[in-house]
């Protein structure tokens, strides 16, 4: 395991008490979720695109770059869709069968049916 803090610092550098090292990970409320990471990245890319695409005429990039820049969000959306489809297809292709869990579940179903029959319920 990687230590959370390095070696102790001399007292003369920090006259105030330092907080103890973190003994557990941050709470779920403090940690950034995957959705938050995606939204931050999207906002960063979107603002960079908007700054370049909507620049005043005297600050606009050269024409070839501008022609490639304007449809860039559509290209990125198509690329994201292809990536998503490939990821879903790969996960489906490599999905593991849980034969032990299926057998255990079937046994539970049999036991439940036997219990219901014992109590007088007809199935």
């Amino acid at each position: 395991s990687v230590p959370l803090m390095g070696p102790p610092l001399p007292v003369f550098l920090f006259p105030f008490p330092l907080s103890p090292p973190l003994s557990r990970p941050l709470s779920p409320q403090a940690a950034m979720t995957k959705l938050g990471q995606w939204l931050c990245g999207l906002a960063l890319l979107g603002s960079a695109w908007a700054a370049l695409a909507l620049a005043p005429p005297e600050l606009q990039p050269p024409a070839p770059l501008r022609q490639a820049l304007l449809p860039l969000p559509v290209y990125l959306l198509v690329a994201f869709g292809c990536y998503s489809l490939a990821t879903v297809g790969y996960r489906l292709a490599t999905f593991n069968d849980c034969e032990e869990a299926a057998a255990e579940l079937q046994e539970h179903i049999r036991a439940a049916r036997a219990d219901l029959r014992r109590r007088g319920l007809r199935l």
Side-chain angles (χ1 to χ4, degrees):
S1 102
V2 177
L4 295 176
M5 291 184 66
L9 297 171
V11 175
F12 62 86
L13 289 178
F14 293 97
F16 52 90
L18 294 173
S19 63
L22 295 174
S23 60
R24 58 183 170 75
L26 295 174
S27 68
Q29 292 82 15
M32 182 176 282
T33 63
K34 211 49 157 166
L35 175 63
Q37 291 174 357
W38 276 98
L39 290 177
C40 284
L42 187 63
L44 182 68
L45 288 174
S47 60
W49 176 83
L52 289 171
L54 304 174
E58 61 272 1
L59 296 177
Q60 286 184 353
L65 180 62
R66 186 165 168 76
Q67 288 175 351
L69 184 67
L70 289 177
L72 187 63
V74 175
Y75 294 152
L76 290 177
L77 186 64
V78 169
F80 178 72
C82 292
Y83 170 76
S84 298
L85 284 175
T87 301
V88 169
Y90 173 75
R91 303 287 174 144
L92 283 174
T94 59
F95 186 75
N96 293 332
D97 290 334
C98 302
E99 294 175 9
E100 297 86 19
E104 182 183 351
L105 184 59
Q106 289 295 328
E107 183 58 38
H108 284 292
I109 292 172
R110 278 190 221 100
R113 284 183 177 168
D115 184 48
L116 289 174
R117 279 191 207 107
R118 186 177 51 85
R119 294 177 186 225
L121 184 66
R122 298 171 115 185
L123 297 176

